[in-house]
Amino acid sequence: MKNLKYMSLAMALVSATTLGFISCGGDDDEKDMTYPVISTEGITANPIDCQVYQRGSVIPFHYLFTDDTELGAYNIEIHTNADHHTHSTSSVECEEDEHEHEHEHEAVKPWVFNQDFQIPAGQHSFEARHDIQIPADIDPGDYHFMLRLTDRAGWQQLRAVAIKITE
């Protein structure tokens, strides 16, 4: 009788454990386990490394985003690179001006742009375009154009582009 009791208890535990794995496991095909893609395929992407823009002009932003499941949102950030730091997403090194290092750390009015954009629900592919106005009174020099793409599951891809803004 004792053995039957222990056997019943053991079977109940095995059944509960198996049921727990089945209910928590889910279908692996439904889980998004991949990063979204920031692509330049089939388009004229902009900006790209080492492009030069003038103060008061426009940066015509254009990139293609894709994801195997669903896209979420993206963020554009532009900040000064007067200290020549890196974000390590590109191996490209832009040519420096001969007087470039004379003006390091003399930031008077560096430009900072930071804006979030939502991608419509259900999209696997999205072509993003914006005209970003460069203020006419900012410090000229090296800047980073940062692009962060996030899918609905929270996976994020980053692209850092080195640009230059002149007077």
Side-chain angles (χ1 to χ4, degrees):
M1 189 74 159
K2 263 186 174 179
N3 286 342
L4 185 59
K5 192 178 196 180
Y6 287 122
M7 204 156 127
S8 295
L9 181 60
M11 288 179 70
L13 283 172
V14 168
S15 295
T17 304
T18 303
L19 192 60
F21 281 127
I22 291 170
S23 65
C24 293
D27 184 0
D28 284 347
D29 292 337
E30 293 178 20
K31 291 182 183 175
D32 183 355
M33 300 302 292
T34 59
Y35 292 99
V37 176
I38 300 170
S39 178
T40 61
E41 302 264 335
I43 64 167
T44 303
N46 200 65
I48 57 172
D49 278 316
C50 305
Q51 283 186 312
V52 179
Y53 301 93
Q54 288 187 314
R55 295 189 297 182
S57 69
V58 168
I59 298 173
F61 169 77
H62 185 203
Y63 273 90
L64 177 65
F65 305 141
T66 60
D67 189 63
D68 63 333
T69 306
E70 185 177 3
L71 292 164
Y74 59 102
N75 171 274
I76 297 173
E77 176 194 338
I78 303 168
H79 63 263
T80 185
N81 188 21
D83 63 356
H84 294 96
H85 65 275
T86 181
H87 294 282
S88 300
T89 67
S90 175
S91 60
V92 175
E93 288 192 33
C94 302
E95 195 173 307
E96 293 183 19
D97 292 340
E98 56 185 78
H99 301 293
E100 186 128 7
H101 293 288
E102 293 174 15
H103 300 291
E104 281 187 27
H105 308 293
E106 294 179 19
V108 176
K109 193 167 183 185
W111 182 32
V112 177
F113 177 92
N114 193 337
Q115 189 167 351
D116 295 323
F117 300 90
Q118 288 296 336
I119 297 172
Q123 301 294 310
H124 296 274
S125 178
F126 183 78
E127 199 168 332
R129 292 178 176 264
H130 301 283
D131 285 336
I132 300 171
Q133 182 68 46
I134 302 170
D137 60 347
I138 62 164
D139 290 344
D142 293 326
Y143 283 81
H144 280 150
F145 189 103
M146 304 289 297
L147 180 55
R148 292 174 185 86
L149 173 63
T150 308
D151 67 13
R152 290 279 181 218
W155 295 104
Q156 187 178 82
Q157 189 65 263
L158 171 70
R159 176 168 285 184
V161 176
I163 62 172
K164 185 176 294 293
I165 298 176
T166 62
E167 293 185 33

